[in-house]
């Protein structure tokens, strides 16, 4: 484990900068059993920050695996009333959510993808109000990660056990700007100011579409919704509380126009979807929809993902990250989206964020859908950035602006 003083700084970062706990707020910590040391510190920090009550929901990836193996599909699809009521209580009490993840790479390898998809879909369908609360920024939420041996050995194939775990901890803390000799909260204030600069420039340019090209075969046009908003770094809830949904974060992202993506995109990193690694895949879009795809590994899982619902084949997010950026420069493949998506341009299959269109946080979803917002049960990011990526932005008057050259921002 890292030094206690560093872990405490990290816990404080999750509480103060991640969700920015308000006086007398209810805080929900959703954590896996791999994270107990960090989670204990987070709970304490949340109380110190003024939380009225901190509720911790533990899960364990191995127990989840046993459920997939031993329960019938019908049982997996049952969402008990108390689970819905519990989440209803959180939303009714304006709770904030801290997710403490620690992926066990490959834990669900070999699980029937159809069974897993049906189970996940049933849970998503039962909790639409929770999705609207978090994705609509009605309350604060954040995700932070903790190292574990299984994950670390997958990231560092040449290291074993504790040594691997320590190395991954160091990479995590560095990526999150948690250092011995500085205050992470100040570091994040500076970082958020930097990120918002690109948002301002891109909002002013107000592109109609972006054209992506690289030598791997990506040749893709992504149309953007009218009145789109570029976001990145800190965000505000509808009641004005500043928070950071992802720690770390390096991205600036916005909302595609649902029916205007066309061409081919080739993934540059594997996608760890619910414990299964989808590798070497590509997607072909026509009028916004995936019409063709292939994967060298776990094609069936990719297919189930794309078939989750009617809109899972459309995208809801397009995000730009320079190839020359802190997480990318570690040259590590983290095998986890929270980290890998911040090292590479990416897009998300499924649901869009209402904040990425002007007035979106206060408009009914049905209204947004007419404007090109994609509504789906899933939001799954995958990475396609590369060191030779070029991006050209096309404005409404037809003029073109080079946004990325050789993998990096040039605006
Ligand atoms: Zn993103
Ligand atoms: Zn995303």
């Amino acid at each position: 484990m890292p030094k206690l003083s560093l872990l405490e700084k990290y816990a404080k970062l999750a509480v103060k900068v991640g969700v920015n706990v308000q006086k007398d707020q209810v805080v929900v910590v959703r954590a896996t059993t791999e994270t107990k040391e960090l989670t204990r510190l987070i709970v304490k920090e949340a109380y110190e920050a003024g939380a009225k009550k901190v509720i911790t929901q533990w899960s364990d990836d191995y127990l989840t695996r046993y459920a997939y193996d031993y329960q019938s599909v019908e049982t997996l699809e049952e969402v008990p009333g108390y689970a819905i009521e519990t989440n209803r209580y959180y939303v009714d009490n304006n709770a904030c959510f801290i997710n403490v993840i620690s992926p066990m790479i490959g834990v669900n390898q070999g699980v029937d993808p159809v069974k897993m998809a049906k189970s996940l879909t049933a849970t998503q369908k039962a909790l639409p109000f929770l999705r609207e609360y978090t994705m609509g920024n009605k309350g604060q939420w954040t995700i932070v990660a903790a190292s574990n041996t299984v994950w670390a050995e997958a990231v560092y194939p040449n290291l074993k056990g504790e040594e691997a775990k320590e190395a991954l901890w160091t990479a995590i803390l560095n990526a999150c700007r948690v250092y011995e000799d500085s205050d992470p909260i100040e570091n994040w204030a500076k970082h958020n100011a930097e990120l918002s600069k690109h948002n301002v420039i891109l909002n002013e340019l107000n592109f109609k579409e972006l054209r992506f090209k690289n030598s791997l075969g990506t040749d893709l046009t992504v149309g953007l919704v009218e009145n789109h908003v570029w976001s990145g770094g800190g965000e505000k809830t509808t009641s004005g509380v500043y928070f950071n949904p992802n720690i770390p974060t390096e991205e600036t992202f916005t909302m595609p126009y649902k029916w205007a993506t066309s061409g081919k995109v080739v993934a540059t990193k594997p996608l760890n979807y619910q414990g299964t690694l989808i590798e070497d895949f590509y997607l072909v879009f026509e009028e916004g929809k995936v019409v063709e795809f292939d994967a060298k590994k776990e094609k069936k899982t990719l297919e189930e993902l794309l078939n989750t619902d009617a809109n899972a084949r459309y995208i809801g997010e397009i995000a730009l990250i320079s190839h020359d950026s802190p997480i990318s420069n570690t040259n590590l493949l983290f095998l986890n989206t929270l980290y890998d998506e911040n090292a590479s341009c990416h897009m998300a299959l499924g649901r869009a964020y209402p904040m990425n269109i002007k007035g979106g946080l206060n408009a009914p979803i049905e209204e947004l859908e007419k404007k090109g917002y994609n509504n789906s049960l899933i939001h799954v990011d995958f990475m396609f950035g590369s060191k030779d990526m070029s991006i050209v932005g096309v404005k409404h008057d037809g003029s073109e602006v080079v946004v990325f050259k050789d993998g990096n921002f040039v605006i």
Side-chain angles (χ1 to χ4, degrees), residues 251 317 341 346 348 353 379 381:
E251 65 179 310
E317 176 192 338
E341 75 168 358
H346 60 266
Y353 288 99
H379 174 101
D381 297 279

Side-chain angles (χ1 to χ4, degrees), residues 194-212 224-232 250-255 318-322 345 356 358 391-396 401-404 408-411:
E194 275 300 310
L195 284 174
S196 71
K197 276 187 200 161
H198 272 139
N199 298 336
V200 171
I201 295 169
L202 287 162
N203 283 335
E204 269 170 16
L205 284 164
N206 189 29
F207 290 125
K208 180 170 178 275
E209 62 187 37
L210 297 170
R211 293 180 188 157
F212 298 83
L224 305 179
V225 288
E226 272 188 49
N227 294 314
H228 62 266
V229 176
W230 286 91
S231 312
E250 302 289 337
E251 65 179 310
T252 173
F253 62 100
T254 196
M255 191 190 296
I318 181 77
L320 310 183
I321 293 107
S322 281
C345 288
N356 284 134
K358 276 181 201 152
I391 308 175
V392 173
V394 183
K395 295 177 50 161
H396 286 271
V401 178
V402 178
V403 181
F404 262 51
N408 295 321
F409 268 111
V410 287
I411 55 168

Side-chain angles (χ1 to χ4, degrees), residues 365-378:
I365 294 291
E366 305 78 60
E367 287 284 304
L368 299 179
E369 285 189 87
K370 286 181 205 149
K371 294 175 177 170
Y373 171 96
N374 190 34
N375 192 12
S376 167
L377 293 171
I378 61 158

